[in-house]
């Protein structure tokens, strides 16, 4: 592996054009700048990614050595009920989390895109949940969601809902609860991205629309939304990838439960790999996650390119 | 920050309309403030509940109806937590890790960024593509091979594992390169003509000019390392190596009925980050605006 970690510096060409010595020197100096970071990066990221693709085709587990088994792991995945559940749950989570977060963060950005006094304070407030630790957040929300006497259900009951959901103790409501919490946590981050996008829209566009007699809603649909498209595109890609790799929040909030109702892909990788030590099989699941993330990125990129063309 | 506080110049309105507009905008302002305050209250409610619960006695945390303010205020939770948990060890480990990782990430990141941004040599662009490419690869996908490698190196179950894990991220290189690209080429060119070596240009010219980017990277890395739960969960088995996140999680499962104390622990784990955020919030915003939008 050491050979991949330290790629050889570019060799000088045989016939030396004038200045080639300088070029070589430049290359060497350039590499010295990059090396301290690159060694760590290569050994801990690049090489593991390569090993992953090898491991997925082996039967390596705690009992034996890595034996090449071809596509066996992937065939096993096709019939693995728990894997299907994890895949479905992850998709379900993404379906709730992506639109909800897009709507809320865009809404917040529109609200906060003014020059009212104190607006910076509100931006700070909206962003604050994003920098607090998952563990503390999950613990607090679990208590807030407590079905019997938790504040959330008490407020719901005060609002006239007699049978509030059991949240994290209920198989139907556990995933929505997780999606709510993660939306609450992430919205400030995406709001900042939307804000930057909104502020890049030239004021003349709105002026022109107003002269043409467009009302507020029309201006929103015909000026704001189209002008924001690059931002929306970027945010959607980030959100989708983040949704499919949801992990630590689930681990601390529900640990996949009740039953397998919130078991997600990343957690299934963790369980197979670190708890059951089936490294080969877990790597196959990891490849599926990897493939989903790459596909999402590429598809969204292509769609965006076609729309722009 | 500059882009985020910059606002459109307002359209000038003709005179006769002005009065009606002013009145309408005043009402609009009041409504907007009301909406903003309500939204802020909802967003901050969990934190408010966390702090007040940490100041209650245990059986007052879950009451019907909700008791919003602790009465009496129980400060003793903040004394008891130190003896009931290894809070001191956890905080010490987390601090050591956060500081070391931040230093390494800022140093190697800004150093490599100079190579990518200010130097021209063969293989540079391919290499940078490799960095960008792996940003899209979820860590969850390669955490197993990474763990196997780390164990082979004998780093598993040491603090070094977390340092190695966090210190060489592609993100730092990316963020710093983005900033370096905005520093005019003429500066380093002029220094080169004056006979400064590349290393001196980095240390004496480019680095001092990139204060805001360094601050951003420092804060983001520190916060990330402080909040990391998965790394310590996988790598740190010994109790005396635990960080605040892993310690808090274990504390919660161990004393799962000590609601007030759990909230005290949560407050203590969030407090340092909250302070850092308050002091340097503009750098967070800036970092997200630069690294986020170009990505």
């Amino acid at each position: 592996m050491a050979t991949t970690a330290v790629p050889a510096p570019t060799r000088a060409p045989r016939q030396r054009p004038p200045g080639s010595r300088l070029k070589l020197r430049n290359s060497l100096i350039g590499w010295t700048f990059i090396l301290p970071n690159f060694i760590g990066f290569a050994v801990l990221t690049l090489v593991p990614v390569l090993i992953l693709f090898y491991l997925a085709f082996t039967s390596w587990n705690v009992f034996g050595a890595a034996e090449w088994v071809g596509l066996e792991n992937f065939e096993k995945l096709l019939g693995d009920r728990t894997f299907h559940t994890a895949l479905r749950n992850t998709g379900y989570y993404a379906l709730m989390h992506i639109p909800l977060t897009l709507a809320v963060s865009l809404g917040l950005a529109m609200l906060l895109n003014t020059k009212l006094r104190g607006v910076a304070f509100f931006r700070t407030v909206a962003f604050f949940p994003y920098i607090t630790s998952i563990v503390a957040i999950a613990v607090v929300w679990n208590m807030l969601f407590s079905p019997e006497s938790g504040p959330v259900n008490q407020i719901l009951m005060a609002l006239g809902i007699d049978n509030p959901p059991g949240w994290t103790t209920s198989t139907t409501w556990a995933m929505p609860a997780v999606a709510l919490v993660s939306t609450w946590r992430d919205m400030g981050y995406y709001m900042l991205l939307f804000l930057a996008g909104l502020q890049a829209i030239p004021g003349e566009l709105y002026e022109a629309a107003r002269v043409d007699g467009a009302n507020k809603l029309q201006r929103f649909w015909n000026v704001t939304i189209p002008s924001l498209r690059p931002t929306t595109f970027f945010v959607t890609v980030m959100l989708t990838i983040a949704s499919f790799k949801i992990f630590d929040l689930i681990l601390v909030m529900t640990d996949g439960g009740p039953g397998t109702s919130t078991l997600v892909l990343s957690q299934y990788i963790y369980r197979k790999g670190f708890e059951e030590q089936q490294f080969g099989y877990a790597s196959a699941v990891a490849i599926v996650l990897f493939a989903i993330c790459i596909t999402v990125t590429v598809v969204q990129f292509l769609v965006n390119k076609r729309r722009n063309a | 920050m500059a882009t985020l506080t910059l606002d459109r110049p307002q359209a000038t309105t003709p005179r006769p309309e002005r009065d009606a507009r002013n009145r309408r905008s005043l009402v609009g302002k009041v409504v907007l403030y009301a909406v903003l305050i309500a939204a802020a209250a909802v967003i901050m409610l969990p934190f408010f509940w966390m702090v007040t619960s940490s100041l209650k006695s245990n059986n007052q945390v879950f009451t019907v109806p909700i008791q919003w303010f602790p009465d009496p205020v129980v400060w003793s939770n903040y004394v008891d937590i130190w003896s009931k948990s290894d809070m001191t060890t956890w905080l010490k480990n987390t601090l050591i890790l956060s500081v070391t990782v931040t230093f390494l990430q800022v140093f190697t990141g800004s150093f490599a960024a100079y190579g990518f941004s200010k130097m021209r040599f063969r293989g540079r662009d391919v290499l940078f593509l490799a960095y960008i490419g792996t940003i899209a690869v979820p860590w969850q996908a390669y955490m197993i091979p990474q763990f196997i490698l780390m164990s082979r190196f004998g780093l598993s179950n040491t603090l070094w594992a977390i340092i190695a894990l966090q210190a060489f991220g592609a993100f730092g290189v990316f963020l710093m390169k983005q900033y370096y690209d905005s520093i005019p080429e003429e500066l380093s060119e002029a220094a080169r003509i004056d006979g400064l070596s590349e290393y001196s240009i980095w240390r004496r010219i480019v680095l001092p000019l990139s204060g805001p980017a360094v601050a951003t990277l420092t804060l983001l890395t520190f916060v990330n390392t402080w909040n990391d739960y998965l790394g310590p969960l996988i790598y740190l088995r010994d109790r005396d190596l635990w960080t605040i996140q892993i310690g808090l999680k274990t504390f919660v499962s161990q004393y799962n009925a000590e609601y007030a104390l759990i909230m005290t622990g949560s407050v203590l784990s969030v407090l340092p980050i909250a302070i850092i955020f308050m002091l340097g919030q503009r750098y967070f915003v800036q970092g997200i605006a630069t690294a986020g939008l170009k990505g």
Side-chain angles (χ1 to χ4, degrees), chain A residues 1-12:
Chain A
M1 286 313 150
T3 44
T4 27
V6 191
T10 39
R11 232 171 285 139

Side-chain angles (χ1 to χ4, degrees), chain A residues 32-33 37-38 41 43-44 52 111 116-117 123-124 127 131 133 139 151 154 184 199 203 234 245 282 286 290, chain B residues 3-4 8 32-33 43 49 63 65-66 108 111 131 134 140-141 144 146 164 199 227 245 273 281 288 292:
Chain A
T32 58
F33 273 104
N37 189 275
F38 186 75
F41 170 75
V43 173
L44 294 158
L52 171 76
L111 264 183
L116 280 188
R117 191 175 299 188
R123 286 177 195 168
T124 310
F127 186 63
I131 55 123
S133 82
V139 168
Q154 282 198 52
W184 168 80
Q199 278 161 2
F234 178 69
K245 47 181 211 189
F290 177 84
Chain B
T3 50
L4 280 165
R8 286 191 299 282
L32 185 59
Y33 269 123
I43 294 171
W49 197 79
T63 52
I66 312 163
T108 65
F111 205 55
Y131 270 89
T134 54
Q140 283 90 326
I144 291 172
Q146 194 181 48
Y199 305 105
N227 285 341
Q245 305 303 339
I273 294 303
Q281 53 154 310
I288 286 156

Side-chain angles (χ1 to χ4, degrees), chain B residues 148-158 160-161:
Chain B
I148 294 169
L149 267 184
M150 213 77 108
S151 307
R152 288 275 159 89
F153 297 147
L155 293 180
S156 175
N157 205 14
T158 64
W160 291 108

Side-chain angles (χ1 to χ4, degrees), chain B residues 95-280:
Chain B
L95 195 67
I96 293 176
L97 283 178
S98 303
V99 170
T100 319
V101 165
T102 305
F103 176 77
L104 281 173
Q105 165 85 83
V106 170
F107 172 71
T108 65
S110 64
F111 205 55
Y114 183 87
F116 282 126
S117 172
K118 297 287 171 211
M119 309 256 327
R120 246 156 234 78
F121 58 91
R122 234 195 288 169
R124 184 190 74 164
D125 296 334
V126 178
L127 205 58
F128 192 63
L129 218 63
Y131 270 89
I132 298 289
T134 54
I135 291 183
V137 182
W139 174 74
Q140 283 90 326
Y142 61 88
M143 64 184 173
I144 291 172
Q146 194 181 48
F147 178 80
I148 294 169
L149 267 184
M150 213 77 108
S151 307
R152 288 275 159 89
F153 297 147
L155 293 180
S156 175
N157 205 14
T158 64
L159 290 183
W160 291 108
I162 306 298
I163 294 175
L165 193 71
Q166 299 270 7
F168 305 103
F171 174 76
V173 179
F174 186 60
L175 183 88
M176 293 305 294
K177 179 187 180 291
Q178 208 77 327
Y179 195 86
Y180 284 178
D181 283 347
S182 71
I183 297 174
E185 193 66 18
E186 290 81 38
L187 275 178
S188 37
E189 211 48 59
R192 231 163 260 155
I193 290 164
D194 286 350
L196 242 60
S197 72
E198 297 292 336
Y199 305 105
S200 316
I201 299 177
W202 172 72
R203 195 173 60 82
R204 309 225 318 242
I205 294 171
V206 176
L207 196 62
L209 280 174
S210 51
V214 169
T216 302
L217 185 58
T218 304
L219 291 175
L220 287 176
T221 312
F222 190 92
V223 167
N224 272 340
T225 315
W226 184 279
N227 285 341
D228 185 26
Y229 171 65
L230 295 171
L233 175 74
I234 290 173
Y235 286 103
L236 304 178
R237 304 273 163 202
D238 285 352
R239 292 190 77 102
D240 11 316
L241 294 178
W242 280 355
T243 63
I244 180 77
Q245 305 303 339
I246 198 96
L248 182 64
K249 176 67 178 69
T250 323
F251 184 77
V252 171
S253 28
Q254 214 167 11
Y255 294 88
N256 57 4
E258 295 266 8
Y259 308 118
L261 265 187
I262 289 174
M263 286 299 103
T264 310
S266 303
V267 171
L268 287 177
S269 79
V270 170
L271 199 62
I273 294 303
I275 294 171
I276 288 175
F277 176 63
M278 293 305 160
L279 292 178

